[in-house]
Amino acid sequence: MTIDIVRAGLTVQEIDVDLGHRATANDLSGQLHRARQLADVTRALTARGMIARAGSKARDELTGQSAVSGLLQRFRQR
């Protein structure tokens, strides 16, 4: 949603709220949980043309040293 909001030219404001977080362990269940989260984020970025659809190019885009700043630049450009 944040990508869509920024692309629409709207302003995003971060507001602190009192919420709890149930951390997952470093066991198989926790790793699978994080893998599903990564798949969801990758799917959302791919659907919006932020990363390549498949192959090493997509992997390079996600693992590059400036991956986060590069994605933020793309949010602003589109």
Side-chain angles (χ1 to χ4, degrees), residues 41-70:
V41 169
T42 302
R43 193 170 24 260
L45 293 174
T46 301
R48 288 161 177 82
M50 305 297 289
I51 60 172
R53 290 213 176 269
S56 63
K57 183 178 178 190
R59 187 172 43 255
D60 292 345
E61 288 186 70
L62 288 173
T63 59
Q65 286 188 336
S66 62
V68 173
S69 62

Side-chain angles (χ1 to χ4, degrees), residues 1-8 41 44-45 48 50 75 78:
M1 289 187 329
T2 304
I3 296 169
D4 299 330
I5 290 168
V6 172
R7 282 183 169 179
V41 169
L45 293 174
R48 288 161 177 82
M50 305 297 289
F75 291 165
R78 297 179 183 197

